[in-house]
Each structure stands twice: as structure tokens, then as C-alpha cells.
Amino acid sequence: MNTGNLYHESELVSLLKQRHEHAFNYLYDHYSGSLYSVIVSIVPDRELANDLLQEVFVKIWRQIESYDNEKGRLFTWMLNVARNASIDAVRSKSYQQGQQNRELTENVYEEGGSVQMNTDRIGLRKIVHKLKEEYRVLVELSYFEGYTQDEISKMLKIPLGTVKTRLRSALLQLKQVIKP
Amino acid sequence: MDIQAYIQSGIIESYVLGLTSSDETAEVERRRKEYIEVENAIIEFSQSLEESAFEHAIAPPPELKSKVLSAIKDLQKERTLVTPTEPNERAQVVQLQGGSNWRLIAAASVILFVVSAGLNFYLYNKYSNKEEDYQALLLQREILQAKNDVYQTQLKEWQSAAAMIADTGMAMIKMVSPKGKDDVATVFWDRRNKDVFVMVNRLPEPKVGRQYQLWAMVDGKPVDAGVLDPSCTSVCKMKNIPKAEAFAITLEKEGGNKIPNLKALFVLGNT
């Protein structure tokens, strides 16, 4: 997928900050697939995911000014833009209502146990589901659903310290799995 | 502080993925400046995250690219409109200062839009009515023109008839009904070039499939001088007749006959 670096990252960023359309074109070609998989892993609805990908690239274009390469890689920054936009979309009222309807119909066929909502898990989310339950829940709630550690601690009635350490351990495990 | 233990605690991963609390974030950012190991760990995880994301990349629908690019083009246009050359800071200042003005302008432009939409509707209706009136006038004009053309032709015909009557070189032969009926027709015979013209003064309307025919009596024998064109309403040009003692009109089949049907003789006149 990573087909030859035409631009060095710092060069690309500086061109983007100068609003070079050609650089943006390259950015899209180079990163749309990986950002799309980030979006799709949070928002399984493809149509919404398509809208989100567009929204994310528009955001990147608008906010590239605020990206600081001292703080991290361009992709990490874009990943968080994509992740936040996706979580916002999933948390929106209209999406929640649609989801509730879906849940009701799906529950008809449920034979008990935990509700398996997203049958077509993708990318990172698929890997996360290989983690043990107590880790999986934390990654799900924090990374995919955007809850803060404080919120998770209250939701799961687990001390904040435990949430922290468990999440960190979960991510370490995850890192082992995704290591190329 | 055992920095290796800190790095291996999973805090780096939480940080890169944006899952840390603000306290934790501040802590990591402080330590990455202090310890190169922390900085390196951040870079390392970011890279492996990126590589993994590329590995699991899913190609978006191809048509999405042009949508995204055109959205960007639109933004680019807006941007050049707002700030021709200056970067962001300038634009922000302008926006803050002009906040209420923009509202006023927006409100004014909405009102203008509504008014102009109303005006457009009114003017369009007016325009449609005028268009109809204009079409009606055009039609009337065409009818008048057609009538005028008919009158013009008739006038010309009568004018030439009048000229023939006045012409002294023209022999005028009045043909009347031998049976004492009211039927009358006139032959104008040019003495100079022997051209023959006929004018129907009064003859009954021929039946369908029948047509009047003019005959010249030459040495006691009838010679065809042509059929009368029903569309000719005044003086009609017939065949050239060099010599004749008399002219007569009979009713024949459409297109005329070679020999006259004397039973259907309508008018007759001697030269």
C-alpha cells in the first residue's frame, strides 16, 4: 500500500500549509485508504463513512495550520482527526436513533449473552476483539467510542487508577499484535 | 524515576492514540523533552501504528476523490475571496471585528433576495402577458396582410381589364346567350398580336368536374381557344387566335374537349 514516498513528510506538510493543491492530491492518494479504515472501524455504515472521509480531508485542509510536527507524525495527527470526527458522528443523535432501531431488530435474533453489534469488524477493531474481555472493553470505550478514562471509570465502576493501568496494558498487547 | 518502566507502561501508546487525560498528556510532553528515550518511543510507536494502518488500509470508493477535491477547491475559492494574500491571523481579526456587520449584511442580502424574487415573479408574469398580446397582434397583422394581398391582386386584374377596355387596339366582343338568358362574357382580342383575353361577366357556377371552354369560329369550324381557369376572377389570357368570325363558350368536361358540345353552348358573339 505504501507506494514510494514522493514527498518527505516535512516537505509535504510545508506544501500543505502553503495550500498546494497538488500536495493535497498526493495526501489523498497516499493516506485515504488508511484513514478510511480508521473511520470504517468506528463507523460501519459505509455511506456515513464516505461522508466522514470527505469531512476529515476538509478538516485536514482547514486545520493543517494547527498541526505541529514537533508533537508527532502527520499520520498520527490525521488519525486523531479521523477518529474524533467518526466518534462525533457515532455519538450524534440521528446516528444513535438509527442504531437503536437496528439494535431492536438484531436483538430479536439474539440468543442471549453479549450483544454483538458490529458483525463486520474491520482493521484495528478486529484485532481488538482478540484481546481479553477486560482489555477489550477499555479499548472499545476509549479508542472507538471516545470516552475519557474518568468517564469509563464511572461507567464500569472501576477505580480510575485501574482503568489507566488496564488500558495501558491493553494497548501494549495490541502493539504486540499489530507489530509488523 | 525509571524511564524504561515509564515507557513500557503503555503510556506512550495511550498518548499517541490520544487516549490520555490532560494530566497524563502534560506529563508525557514534559518527559519527551527531558528524555530522548521517551521521544524515540513515541516516534517508534507512531511509525508502527502508521505502518499497521497502511497494512489494513481500505480503499474508499474511487468517486469520493473528486468530491473531496472539489470541496477543497471551493474552500480555496472562499479563502482567496476573504484573504487575497495574507495568512490566517488577518482573516480572524477581520471576522471578529465585523461579526455584527456580517449579520446585518446577511440579513440585508436575504431581504434583497426575497424582494428581488418577488419582483422577478411579477415581472415574469407581466412579460408573459405581453408575450401573449404580442403573438395575438402578430397573427392579426398576418391576416390583414393576406387580405391586403388578395385586394392588391384583384385591383391589378381590374386595372388591366380597365386598360384593355380603354385600349383602342383591342377589339371587344360581347358574347350573349343565344337562348335569351342573362349569361354574358366578353372577349378582348388584340388586333396587333392576336392575343385573346376573356372576362366572365355573368355565367352560372360550373358543376364539379365541368369547365367552361372558349371557342373561336374559324371558317365555320370551331377552334379551341383554351379552358377558363376557375381561379381567374377577371380578365384571363387565352390562346392566340389569328383569325375568327365569332367566339363562343361551352361547358365541357374538366380540361376541355376537342370538339365543342353545342348542346351546352352558353354564350356566343360575332367579331
Side-chain angles (χ1 to χ4, degrees), chain A residues 14-174:
Chain A
S14 120
L15 285 173
L16 286 174
K17 286 189 178 178
Q18 290 167 50
R19 315 278 161 173
H20 272 253
E21 276 180 38
H22 189 74
F24 186 81
N25 207 32
Y26 170 84
L27 185 83
Y28 187 90
D29 288 343
H30 204 63
Y31 291 101
S32 59
S34 44
L35 291 177
Y36 193 59
S37 84
V38 169
I39 294 168
V40 169
S41 73
I42 298 170
V43 183
D45 179 303
R46 284 297 167 108
E47 236 167 273
L48 182 58
N50 293 349
D51 290 347
L52 278 168
L53 185 68
Q54 181 174 347
E55 189 189 316
V56 164
F57 271 100
V58 167
K59 273 192 173 153
I60 291 168
W61 177 257
R62 277 178 191 266
Q63 297 172 1
I64 188 73
E65 230 61 72
S66 71
Y67 163 68
D68 177 4
N69 60 352
E70 294 281 302
K71 281 193 170 177
R73 288 180 66 79
L74 177 64
F75 177 75
T76 312
W77 178 72
M78 294 194 297
L79 174 127
N80 280 314
V81 172
R83 193 182 134 244
N84 290 334
S86 306
I87 288 168
D88 284 348
V90 169
R91 283 185 166 190
S92 74
K93 249 189 191 160
S94 55
Y95 184 84
Q96 290 290 332
Q97 279 160 1
Q99 216 49 17
Q100 267 169 17
N101 295 340
R102 200 177 130 185
E103 226 166 312
L104 281 175
T105 47
E106 280 190 5
N107 278 346
V108 174
Y109 305 100
E110 208 63 47
E111 289 181 11
S114 66
V115 178
Q116 293 279 314
M117 268 296 298
N118 305 312
T119 43
D120 50 347
R121 282 194 182 80
I122 279 158
L124 190 57
R125 204 164 197 161
K126 206 167 167 185
I127 303 166
V128 168
H129 273 258
K130 288 177 185 157
L131 296 175
K132 59 178 180 177
E133 180 67 14
E134 57 175 29
Y135 287 169
R136 186 184 69 78
V137 172
L138 285 176
V139 179
E140 268 287 329
L141 289 176
S142 62
Y143 181 85
F144 291 103
E145 295 183 28
Y147 291 104
T148 65
Q149 296 179 4
D150 202 37
E151 286 167 331
I152 295 170
S153 139
K154 280 171 189 147
M155 280 166 78
L156 300 181
K157 301 190 177 77
I158 305 172
L160 182 58
T162 313
V163 172
K164 273 190 182 135
T165 46
R166 265 194 211 164
L167 180 61
R168 289 181 192 181
S169 314
L171 292 177
L172 283 176
Q173 273 213 356
L174 207 55

Side-chain angles (χ1 to χ4, degrees), chain A residues 29 71 73 168 172, chain B residues 8-9 24 32 50 65:
Chain A
D29 288 343
K71 281 193 170 177
R73 288 180 66 79
R168 289 181 192 181
L172 283 176
Chain B
Q8 280 160 18
S9 71
E24 288 173 315
R32 70 187 287 190
E50 189 167 337
K65 185 178 175 183

Side-chain angles (χ1 to χ4, degrees), chain B residues 203-206 210-214 226-228 249-251 266:
Chain B
L203 277 179
E205 191 74 16
R210 295 292 171 124
Q211 198 169 11
Y212 288 114
Q213 191 170 1
L214 181 72
V227 290
L228 271 73
I249 290 176
T250 59
L251 189 63
F266 276 73

